[in-house]
Amino acid sequence: ACEKSRQLMVTWAMCLYCLWTAKFQRNRIIFVQSKKELDAANLVFNTEPRAARISFMETRLPEMLKNEVAWSYGKGVFDTGSWIWGIPEGGDQIRSYTVSLLFSDEFAFQPEGEAAWAAANASVKRGGKIVIVSSANASAYMKQLIDRV
């Protein structure tokens, strides 16, 4: 869990980590979660590869470093068998999956953040990772998580 200030490119760095995981590790399920589906899609893939952050990074690589990726709204399925899926907030989005990596952006502003955390914890116990980042919001569940860590 990481509190961030704006303009530090923490979200960009985490998107790069999600992309690296999908490119170089086989059969991974990676969720990128944000408050709204549109916000999550803008991190993974929206309607044009150069518009969302992860698809932008992949398409800007030299040809020899690119993977075959099937892009659809909010999703990227890689030739490694891994996929990245942009999802809206809430535990119900995660519950039926065993996630390899969950990146939750602006977690402190997700009213259903606590439910998402509880649902994702089952994956962590099986070797998955959860990374949550957000601009400061002292009254949010994220503050409780940071205080525990």
Side-chain angles (χ1 to χ4, degrees), residues 78-128:
F78 289 72
D79 57 5
T80 58
S82 295
W83 49 276
I84 302 174
W85 187 0
I87 59 170
E89 69 166 322
D92 293 338
Q93 310 296 327
I94 303 167
R95 197 166 318 284
S96 59
Y97 296 93
T98 302
V99 193
S100 305
L101 172 61
L102 168 65
F103 163 50
S104 190
D105 191 44
E106 294 298 354
F107 184 83
F109 297 93
Q110 296 180 25
E112 297 180 41
E114 189 171 355
W117 177 263
N121 263 329
S123 294
V124 171
K125 293 175 183 171
R126 293 180 181 90

Side-chain angles (χ1 to χ4, degrees), residues 10 13 19 39 45 57 64 69 74 77 85 87 97-98 115 128 147:
V10 172
L19 176 62
D39 295 337
F45 176 83
M57 288 186 273
M64 61 189 259
V69 184
V77 180
W85 187 0
I87 59 170
Y97 296 93
T98 302
D147 289 346

Side-chain angles (χ1 to χ4, degrees), residues 26-40:
R26 301 193 63 73
N27 305 315
R28 302 292 179 199
I29 299 173
I30 303 153
F31 280 170
V32 176
Q33 189 171 46
S34 196
K35 188 171 182 179
K36 296 182 229 167
E37 183 179 31
L38 176 62
D39 295 337

